Structures are given as C-alpha cells and as structure tokens.
Amino acid sequence: MKKTHFLLSLVALGFINSCQNIDEIAVENQKQQEVHNKTVNVTNHDGRPFSTGIPVNAKFVAGPGGSVLMQGFYWGVPDGGNWWNTIKGKITDWSNAGIGAVWLPPASKAQNGPYSMGYDPTDYYDFGNYNQNGTIETRFGSKTELEALITKAHAENMQVYADIVINHNSGGQSEANPYTGTNTWTNFTGVASGKFPRSYNDFYKNAYGNNDEGAFGGFPDLCHANPNVQDWLWGRDDSVGKYYKNVMKFDGWRFDYVKGFGPWVVNTWNANVGGFSVGELWDSNVNTLEWWANNANSSVFDFAAYYKMDEAFDNGNLNVLNDDMMWKRNPFKAVTFVANHDTDIIYNKMLAYAYILTHEGYPTIFYRDYEEWLSKERLNNLIWIHNNKATGTTSILYTDNDEYVARRNGYNGNPGLVVYINNSSTWQERWVETSWSNQQIKDFTGHSNWYPTTQSDKWVKIQCPPNSYSVWSLNQ
C-alpha cells in the first residue's frame, strides 16, 4: 500500500492526488536517471549477440536458477479501465524474456471507484461487474478483461498473484455502533455482490477487543478474530481466498500491510487456500522479517536487502553487502526487489538488479524499470543469467567500498557463476577463486571481451567496467 502515513480518514480525491504528487516526484527522479542508464548493445566481441533469454514464440519454462516475478503495475497507472488489457498485451513478451509470474494490483471494487488503486476495498467479489461506487469497471478494467488476462498468462505458463488487502475496508455506510457510542462507516451489508456482508462487529473495536496489531489511515480495521470474518476470508467454499483461487484462477497472494494483523492470519489463509504467498512487512530488521515469515508460513519482501543495496550502490559502501539479509537467512522465503509502487529510493538501479538477479531469493522486476526507465535489453540479459546460471549457495569473495565479488557455487550439474560489481569510475581487475579448474570462462553480460582460463587451483583474473557489472561462467 502507498505509505503516505495518513492521520485522517480517506477523502477519496485528496487521497489520490497526494499519492499522484509523490509519483510525479518519482517520475522526475527517474527522468534524470535515464540519462545515467544508457542502453548498451548486448553483443559478443565477434559480432554475435549474447543471449538475452528471448527465444521466438517460447512459453516460460523455469530454468535451473528458478523464476522471476514482474510487478505488473505502478502507483497511478492510467485510469479508464484499460490496464488489464495493457498487461495482457505484454504477457507473451514477458514469458519469452523468462519472467514466470506477474503480480497484479488489488483487483476488486474499492471506495474511490474508477480512480482507486484498489487499496481501499469495498466489495471483494466485484471485479468490475457490478455498478457500485460510481462505476461498473474498476480503474483497471472489467471482470471479463481480468479473466482474459489470467487465461493468457496461464497459456504462457506464467502464474498470476493477487494483491490482497485484508487489514482494512472502505466505502461502507454509516451505522450506529454500540462499541464506540458513535456512528461508524462499517455497514457493508449492501455490497452489490451480496457476499461477505459486514457490520460493526466485524471491525475493531467490537466484542472481540479494542484493536489488533495495527490500523491504517483511519480505515475501518477488519477483525480477524471474528469467526464470521475468518469464514468469509478463507473458510467457506466461496470465501474470498477460495473464490480468487478456484473461480478467478489466481495462483498466489501478495498480502498488503501485514503489520496490521498477526502472522497467523496469513498462515491460516495459506493452510486453507494454498498458493504462493508473500507479505509486505515494511521493516529493515532481518530478525523481524524472519520471525514473520516463519510464523506466517510465507515468503516476505526482503526490505533488509533493499535498504542495504541503497546504502551500497548509492552511498559508495559495498562493504554493507556483507551484512545480514533475509535472502541469507532463508532464500526460499525471501522476495528481493529494487523498487515497487510504494518506494523507489535506489538510484544505481542496474547495479541493484545485477545483485538480486545473480543472488539467492526470488527477484522482482518493477514494471516502470522494465518498460520505461531502464534498458530492457540489459534487464533481459540479467533475467536470462538468473534463470540459467544463478544456482547454488552464495560465497562472498571480496568487498570494499567500490567493489563486490560473489560466487554462486552451482547445483545439480549447473556450474553457477561469479558476479563482479564495480561502483567506481574506472575499470577494475581482480583475482578470484572460482569453482572451475582449467576451464575457459566468459562474461555473459558482454561488458568484457576477456575469455580467461582458470588455473588448476581454480583462480582466475576477471575484470569489470566502471559503474557496472560483469557475470562470469563456463564458456558453454
């Protein structure tokens, strides 16, 4: 959810305008970044193109390195009901590039109707097929268009993850509330779908207590302790989770603002519904991230790595990449990222993408980075490297303020790789210990024209251009 730290309840247009102002600042920053991130042709020095992972008319097939997730939206995508069609039109290219899943914005009808980004949910079963909150379609389109998008993704062997907002609701009618002694906007008995009707006892404070772990922005705070709420979220055959999975055919979940409720909520959802899940726990403390992931039985976004990358690549201190991160604690529960719809603070993004796409964890590509702001050719090359070479555990070989070298140790016959990141203004060279004896290697990014052969003791000298990266593996 967009973190604007409200101290007032939602005023629809004011809410959207304030968030769009934040987005405009990010756009201006990225325009400046475009000058910095020039497109470089990815070619061999004998004229042959390096593989960027885009075969002709290929469906996504997971490689030895796993998969890559695309965040298929940004804050303030064009309104008018065309976004589902826009994403549908990109699915084949994303699949061809080696992207295995797409994360969509909250898909159901929200209070701000045709202008809402979905984080103020009213009716979880209205995907743009009921006339309420001033519109039939959502900001993103109709239910039919959403279903067509999901069908297209599945035809390309891609998964689709739904953004699930279950901390709070918005858009209810006013009703007398005996627990507050006032009227509250907690009457959702008239939602157009007729499913998951709610009243004051489904929100804090109520018969189950005064509050749970956290509230957000003055919205009515959903009470997960109430059996009626549990039943409608994950228990019933037509619960929100099971409807999304079995009827709409979503494959997984990105849970919004999980600081607002206990990790048992996500754990119970996953046990009853299934599918991939990742939580947005906005916290740089790796102990907190690991605690939540274990108790939620879920992946979690690696905010520890996110802030370390900002310090490393933007502040000239690559030594901090030795610090602890969620992907180091448990790579199978770490979703790494460089930017998203909420936060976009890293300037040297290509170095950050080189980091997450060669390291452990489940890397995420941000829509605007891929489609608008950075070199798609360079990102496709890194995606190919991730899917085909980034295997095995990680060994950090060297760090200083400007240089970082790490080795993926390979797995199940795949040779792994060595990644060299150089944040200085000059070419750098360094002797490193690889996993390979007496074998020729090459830089799969095309940044270096060296084809060195490793010594019998597995050592070799590699190089890296200024403010860039190289990725080395067996020349095969």
Side-chain angles (χ1 to χ4, degrees):
M1 166 161 273
K2 197 76 174 175
K3 300 301 184 295
T4 47
H5 306 290
F6 304 92
L7 295 178
L8 63 159
S9 60
L10 176 66
V11 178
L13 292 178
F15 170 76
I16 292 298
N17 288 339
S18 67
C19 294
Q20 288 175 335
N21 290 338
I22 292 172
D23 194 61
E24 288 167 4
I25 293 171
V27 169
E28 184 58 34
N29 289 339
Q30 293 301 330
K31 287 179 180 177
Q32 297 175 25
Q33 181 173 325
E34 289 176 24
V35 177
H36 179 68
N37 292 293
K38 296 294 186 182
T39 299
V40 181
N41 291 326
V42 184
T43 58
N44 262 313
H45 292 271
D46 60 4
R48 293 179 295 107
F50 271 78
S51 173
T52 57
I54 309 181
V56 177
N57 298 324
K59 301 180 189 299
F60 172 77
V61 178
S67 180
V68 174
L69 170 62
M70 172 68 74
Q71 179 176 1
F73 67 100
Y74 54 90
W75 193 268
V77 301
D79 56 29
N82 293 314
W83 192 248
W84 298 146
N85 289 334
T86 296
I87 297 303
K88 180 187 172 188
K90 297 181 182 296
I91 288 294
T92 297
D93 287 343
W94 291 353
S95 171
N96 290 345
I99 294 166
V102 56
W103 154 28
L104 298 182
S108 64
K109 191 70 59 66
Q111 180 183 6
N112 206 26
Y115 306 105
S116 177
M117 286 297 298
Y119 292 96
D120 49 338
T122 299
D123 188 342
Y124 289 103
Y125 297 84
D126 180 358
F127 296 92
N129 49 310
Y130 294 100
N131 189 356
Q132 63 181 330
N133 294 356
T135 182
I136 296 178
E137 291 192 343
T138 68
R139 182 188 190 109
F140 313 114
S142 68
K143 180 180 181 181
T144 300
E145 290 164 343
L146 173 59
E147 290 171 325
L149 161 57
I150 295 171
T151 298
K152 176 67 173 177
H154 288 163
E156 296 291 341
N157 290 337
M158 291 177 64
Q159 293 197 325
V160 185
Y161 303 154
D163 203 316
I164 299 294
V165 185
I166 55 173
N167 176 73
H168 52 268
N169 292 165
S170 190
Q173 301 301 306
S174 177
E175 63 180 346
N177 188 330
Y179 295 97
T180 65
T182 64
N183 274 37
T184 53
W185 300 93
T186 48
N187 183 354
F188 292 81
T189 59
V191 290
S193 69
K195 293 183 178 292
F196 196 7
R198 287 142 280 163
S199 63
Y200 58 79
N201 210 40
D202 297 305
F203 300 89
Y204 289 106
K205 62 182 185 178
N206 58 12
Y208 298 90
N210 292 336
N211 58 273
D212 58 1
E213 283 78 2
F216 187 85
F219 294 102
D221 188 28
L222 203 56
C223 174
H224 303 93
N226 186 334
N228 181 61
V229 173
Q230 297 176 20
D231 205 29
W232 274 105
L233 286 182
W234 58 70
R236 301 165 55 108
D237 289 341
D238 61 345
S239 65
V240 173
K242 291 175 183 176
Y243 191 92
Y244 273 56
K245 187 171 188 288
N246 300 328
V247 178
M248 298 303 294
K249 305 299 182 182
F250 280 102
D251 305 288
W253 330 105
R254 179 268 186 189
F255 288 97
D256 180 66
Y257 191 62
V258 297
K259 281 188 174 182
F261 46 89
W264 68 269
V265 172
V266 172
N267 192 321
T268 310
W269 174 296
N270 291 339
N272 281 270
V273 180
F276 172 81
S277 90
V278 58
E280 182 218 21
L281 184 72
W282 199 317
D283 198 308
S284 63
N285 187 319
V286 67
N287 293 320
T288 304
L289 297 173
E290 183 182 35
W291 166 84
W292 186 89
N294 288 340
N295 283 277
N297 190 28
S298 172
S299 296
V300 65
F301 284 106
D302 195 346
F303 278 92
Y306 176 69
Y307 287 110
K308 293 299 179 186
M309 287 191 292
D310 179 48
E311 185 176 351
F313 302 130
D314 291 347
N315 297 305
N317 183 16
L318 270 62
N319 282 309
V320 302
L321 298 179
N322 289 306
D323 292 351
D324 207 358
M325 305 174 197
M326 184 60 196
W327 72 259
K328 297 182 182 183
R329 294 283 185 95
N330 188 340
F332 302 104
K333 288 185 177 179
V335 177
T336 53
F337 66 102
V338 173
N340 63 30
H341 66 295
D342 279 333
T343 180
D344 192 358
I345 62 174
I346 297 174
Y347 177 76
N348 281 321
K349 284 186 173 181
M350 285 308 301
L351 300 189
Y353 276 114
Y355 182 82
I356 69 169
L357 286 163
T358 55
H359 283 65
E360 294 168 79
Y362 186 6
T364 307
I365 309 291
F366 181 45
Y367 178 94
R368 301 199 87 166
D369 287 342
Y370 187 83
E371 292 291 343
E372 300 176 20
W373 290 337
L374 302 180
S375 165
K376 185 180 293 188
E377 187 176 26
R378 280 287 167 211
L379 287 172
N380 283 340
N381 173 252
L382 285 171
I383 292 167
W384 184 90
I385 288 170
H386 171 271
N387 291 352
N388 291 278
K389 302 293 183 182
T391 62
T393 57
T394 302
S395 300
I396 298 176
L397 304 181
Y398 179 82
T399 60
D400 61 24
N401 285 342
D402 296 324
E403 296 175 66
Y404 173 87
V405 187
R407 183 180 69 228
R408 293 296 298 277
N409 294 309
Y411 178 74
N412 197 28
N414 186 281
L417 57 80
V418 173
V419 56
Y420 191 169
I421 300 176
N422 174 16
N423 205 26
S424 76
S425 58
T426 59
W427 278 84
Q428 300 293 334
E429 301 174 1
R430 191 156 298 282
W431 281 92
V432 297
E433 184 178 15
T434 72
S435 301
W436 319 299
S437 297
N438 303 314
Q439 303 231 38
Q440 187 184 70
I441 65 173
K442 74 175 184 180
D443 170 21
F444 276 81
T445 72
H447 286 145
S448 171
N449 62 357
W450 285 10
Y451 287 78
T453 297
T454 62
Q455 299 181 152
S456 59
D457 62 1
K458 302 181 181 180
W459 284 77
V460 71
K461 182 189 279 189
I462 57 176
Q463 66 173 184
C464 189
N467 194 31
S468 191
Y469 55 90
S470 53
V471 182
W472 304 82
S473 190
L474 297 184
N475 186 14
Q476 60 185 33

